Amino acid sequence: MAMKSKTAKQKIKKPWGGRFSGGTSQAVEAFSESISFDKRLWKYDIEGSIAHAGMLGKQGIIPKKDAKLIVKGLMRIATRIAEGGFVFREELEDIHMNIEAALIEETGEAGKKLHTARSRNDQVALDLRLYLRSEVKETIGLVGGLKAALVDLAQRHREIIMPGYTHLQRAQPVLLAHHLLAYAEMMDRDAERLLESLKRINVLPLGACALAGTSLPIDRLYVAELLGFDAVSANSMDSVSDRDFVLEFLSDAAILMMHLSRLSEEVVLWSTEEFSFIGLPDAFATGSSIMPQKKNPDVAELARGKTGRVYGNLMGMLTVMKALPLTYNRDLQEDKELLFDTVDTVKSVLDVLAQMLPVINFRTERLEETAGEGFSTATDMAEYLVKKGMPFREAHGVVGRAVLYASQKGKRLEDISLDEYKGLFSGLFDKDVFQVLSPRASVAAKKSLGGTAPSEVARRMAAHKKEKEKKKKDKKGK
Ligand code: ARG
C-alpha cells in the first residue's frame, strides 16, 4: 500500500512560505529542524539582532522608531526565554526563525523589518562565532584552573622523588613535581592555542547576507564595533560557507583532550595495586556492582574515554566540510551538535580533573622506594665515567656490563664493591662513584636547563606562579 506522506498542520506560516503552495511534510520538519539543539544560541542570536537593528536604524534603512521597537521586543523575548516561558516550535525550524516569528508577533510591522539586509546564512555564522568566542574564553579559564591545580600539587610534593619512565619501564629518577609540571606545560600550550584562535573566531560575518552582500547601504564596521569584533570578514561568499574556525576549535580541543587522556591514563595506572603510587579519595572513585572489594578510577577512565568523541567530532566536521561547494549548504547545520558536544565534553573533563587532582593521595614512600629500583641510576654512573675522561659510548658499555653482573648476582649497583668495579670494569672507578648512585643525588645532579634538579624545578614553578599573579593583575586592571 502506498503511504501518503503527511504534511504538517500549517498553524504557523513559514517565513519563507511565499513561493510554496503546499505544506512541508512532517517527516521533513522532524528531519531538518535544528531548534532542538540550536536553541542554546538564543542569547547570541538576540545580541546579533539587536546590533543589526541598531545599524539598520542608524543607516536609515528602517525608521529609527522601528529599530527601537525591535530592540525592545527582542529584549522582552530574551527575558521570556531566560525565564523559561518561551515556546520553541519545531515547524519554525531553527532559533533564528523562532525568534523572528516571536518578534513579529510581539511588534507587528516593525518586527517584519528586522531581516532586512540579512540572511540566516550570515546570521547563523554570526551566532556561532559569538557563541564560540565566549566558550573559548571560558575553556581557557578552565585550562588555567587545571594548570593551577597541577602547579599546586607539584608545590606540595616538591621534595618527592619517583621513577621516571620510558617505554613504561623504569628509566631514571625524577621529581614528582617535575612529572606534574610536564602537564602544566601542556596546559600552557593548549591555552595559548585557544587564545590565538580567538583572532580568527572574532571576525564579523554579518552583512554577507545570503552569499553576495546587499544593495542596501549597511554599515558592517559599525555592527562589528557594537558586537566587539576585531575585524570584518572580507569576502561574503567565504563568510557564509566556511567553518574553519569551528574546525580549529575542534582541533585544539582534540589536542587538549589528548593531553588530558594521558594524564588520566597515569591516574588509572598509578592507582593500580601494581603501581600503588596513588590512592583516590572515595568521592572520586566508584565501586563494582558485583565485586565488593573494588574501588575503580572511573573519573579518569571517563576522561580518557571521552577523548574518543572529541576526536570523532573533529573527524565528523572535517568530513561534513570536505568538498562542499561554495557557498552555504544545509550540510553546514551539522556543525552545531559536533561543536556543542565538544565544548560540553572538554569543559566537563577540565572541571572534574581540576577537582580530583588536589585530593589525590600520593603514596610518597612507595614513590621514593621504587625510584631507586631497576638500576635507575646507571646513566649517572656512565656520566661519572665521562667526567673521569671516558668517551660516553665506552662508558655506556662498561656500565651495561656492570648492570648485567649485578643483576646476575641479584644485587644493586651500590652493592658491588669498589674492588670489583676497578678489577672487573674500569680503573677509572673510585670510591666517589657511590655518591652518584642514590636517586636523590641523581635527581639533584640534573641541573641542565629544564632538567629535574630541584633547583630547576623550583625555578620553573616560580615562573608559573609569577605568570599566574600577572594574569590576576591584568584581569583586575581591565
Ligand atoms: N539552521 C540553519 C543552520 O544551522 C540556519 C541557516 C539556514 N539557512 C538556509 N539557507 N536554510 O545552518
Side-chain angles (χ1 to χ4, degrees):
M1 195 175 76
M3 291 273 277
K4 242 180 108 184
S5 86
K6 286 185 193 152
T7 53
K9 284 180 223 110
Q10 294 293 299
K11 273 183 283 177
I12 291 180
K13 211 173 160 255
K14 304 243 190 278
W16 43 252
R19 66 99 60 226
F20 287 77
S21 51
T24 318
S25 142
Q26 260 176 9
V28 170
E29 283 196 338
F31 180 68
S32 60
E33 66 84 24
S34 55
I35 189 63
S36 57
F37 50 85
D38 68 13
K39 59 173 171 241
R40 80 153 81 182
L41 295 173
W42 70 267
K43 235 187 232 169
Y44 307 104
D45 197 73
I46 289 179
E47 190 187 349
S49 288
I50 287 177
H52 183 64
M55 182 278 290
L56 292 176
K58 177 185 89 78
Q59 294 298 93
I61 298 170
I62 67 172
K64 275 215 169 73
K65 67 167 189 352
D66 284 345
K68 273 191 192 140
L69 286 173
I70 289 172
V71 170
K72 277 191 190 149
L74 287 169
M75 275 153 69
R76 282 197 296 275
I77 290 168
T79 312
R80 233 193 301 149
I81 298 177
E83 288 170 354
F86 188 92
V87 184
F88 293 100
R89 294 177 200 275
E90 190 183 89
E91 61 269 34
L92 286 171
E93 277 183 38
D94 54 29
I95 188 63
H96 325 296
M97 296 209 301
N98 265 271
I99 290 176
E100 193 191 338
L103 181 73
I104 294 170
E105 251 173 57
E106 187 95 13
T107 64
E109 288 304 304
K112 289 186 189 166
K113 297 177 183 168
L114 172 63
H115 212 53
T116 312
R118 187 176 78 173
S119 150
R120 275 186 295 157
N121 298 351
D122 56 346
Q123 189 180 357
V124 71
L126 170 68
D127 291 7
L128 217 51
R129 284 174 184 272
L130 287 171
Y131 162 80
L132 195 53
R133 178 173 80 182
S134 156
E135 293 293 349
V136 163
K137 286 180 186 164
E138 210 171 300
T139 307
I140 291 171
L142 289 168
V143 172
L146 182 60
K147 182 203 157 173
L150 285 160
V151 173
D152 189 61
L153 204 57
Q155 168 78 17
R156 278 195 280 136
H157 297 91
R158 59 189 174 281
E159 310 273 308
I160 306 302
I161 294 173
M162 68 178 288
Y165 291 81
T166 62
H167 312 269
L168 207 51
Q169 308 283 326
R170 285 182 195 147
Q172 293 187 313
V174 291
L175 282 186
L176 170 57
H178 196 50
H179 193 129
L180 294 169
L181 290 183
Y183 287 105
E185 303 293 345
M186 297 178 216
M187 294 301 103
D188 267 355
R189 291 193 297 279
D190 286 319
E192 195 179 281
R193 257 187 289 278
L194 288 169
L195 193 67
E196 283 167 359
S197 76
L198 277 175
K199 189 172 100 187
R200 284 171 291 279
I201 294 168
N202 205 25
V203 176
L204 176 85
L206 204 70
C209 302
L211 75 161
T214 175
S215 64
L216 294 163
I218 57 172
D219 183 350
R220 298 186 65 206
L221 293 173
Y222 178 68
V223 178
E225 203 184 304
L226 289 180
L227 292 172
F229 281 105
D230 298 324
V232 166
S233 64
N235 180 307
S236 60
M237 298 179 78
D238 173 41
S239 316
V240 293
S241 70
D242 204 7
R243 293 291 182 268
D244 59 354
F245 65 100
V246 171
L247 280 169
E248 188 172 348
F249 175 75
L250 296 179
S251 312
D252 292 349
I255 296 174
L256 167 60
M257 285 300 294
M258 175 275 292
H259 287 149
L260 300 182
S261 76
R262 301 182 72 188
L263 175 61
S264 302
E265 168 73 4
E266 302 218 89
V267 169
V268 173
L269 277 177
W270 290 357
S271 67
T272 57
E273 192 63 38
E274 287 74 5
F275 271 85
S276 292
F277 283 178
I278 59 172
L280 290 172
D282 287 357
F284 286 87
T286 43
S288 157
S289 59
I290 174 169
M291 297 169 283
Q293 85 285 8
K294 293 279 280 180
K295 192 172 170 188
N296 297 326
D298 294 32
V299 171
E301 289 170 303
L302 277 168
R304 189 178 60 185
K306 283 175 190 292
T307 307
R309 63 201 285 164
V310 172
Y311 288 6
N313 291 339
L314 169 62
M315 285 321 294
M317 192 59 205
L318 281 168
T319 312
V320 166
M321 293 296 301
K322 179 183 177 293
L324 261 196
L326 300 189
T327 55
Y328 179 85
N329 299 275
R330 193 64 178 269
D331 312 45
L332 291 173
Q333 180 168 295
E334 290 292 310
D335 60 1
K336 280 165 221 57
E337 285 161 294
L338 304 179
L339 175 61
F340 296 163
D341 183 63
T342 288
V343 166
D344 293 346
T345 303
V346 167
K347 279 165 61 180
S348 71
V349 171
L350 285 167
D351 182 50
V352 77
L353 289 183
Q355 290 188 52
M356 182 174 74
L357 285 183
V359 289
I360 286 179
N361 170 28
F362 280 92
R363 306 222 160 99
T364 52
E365 263 169 45
R366 163 91 181 149
L367 286 164
E368 296 261 348
E369 200 182 278
T370 48
E373 288 174 4
F375 306 99
S376 65
T377 55
T379 314
D380 297 276
M381 183 181 261
E383 288 183 358
Y384 165 88
L385 290 173
V386 165
K387 284 172 202 158
K388 302 262 173 183
M390 189 183 284
F392 178 76
R393 192 46 64 211
E394 197 180 323
H396 188 287
V398 166
V399 179
R401 285 190 291 282
V403 166
L404 182 64
Y405 178 80
S407 71
Q408 278 165 351
K409 290 193 165 317
K411 289 182 170 177
R412 301 175 307 161
L413 283 175
E414 39 283 56
D415 302 327
I416 308 296
S417 71
L418 183 58
D419 286 345
E420 286 168 292
Y421 276 126
K422 274 186 179 298
L424 297 172
F425 302 107
S426 166
L428 290 176
F429 279 112
D430 218 331
K431 59 177 185 303
D432 57 353
V433 68
F434 296 102
Q435 288 164 20
V436 305
L437 294 180
S438 81
R440 201 155 288 279
S442 162
V443 164
K446 302 294 187 317
K447 289 194 179 116
S448 50
L449 198 71
T452 193
S455 55
E456 268 303 292
V457 175
R459 192 182 57 74
R460 193 64 194 133
M461 189 120 58
H464 284 305
K465 281 202 203 134
K466 208 168 148 192
E467 199 188 299
K468 197 177 155 196
E469 289 304 310
K470 193 179 165 288
K471 272 193 195 139
K472 243 196 216 160
K473 256 192 211 154
D474 288 353
K475 230 183 178 177
K476 265 190 195 158
K478 263 184 192 166

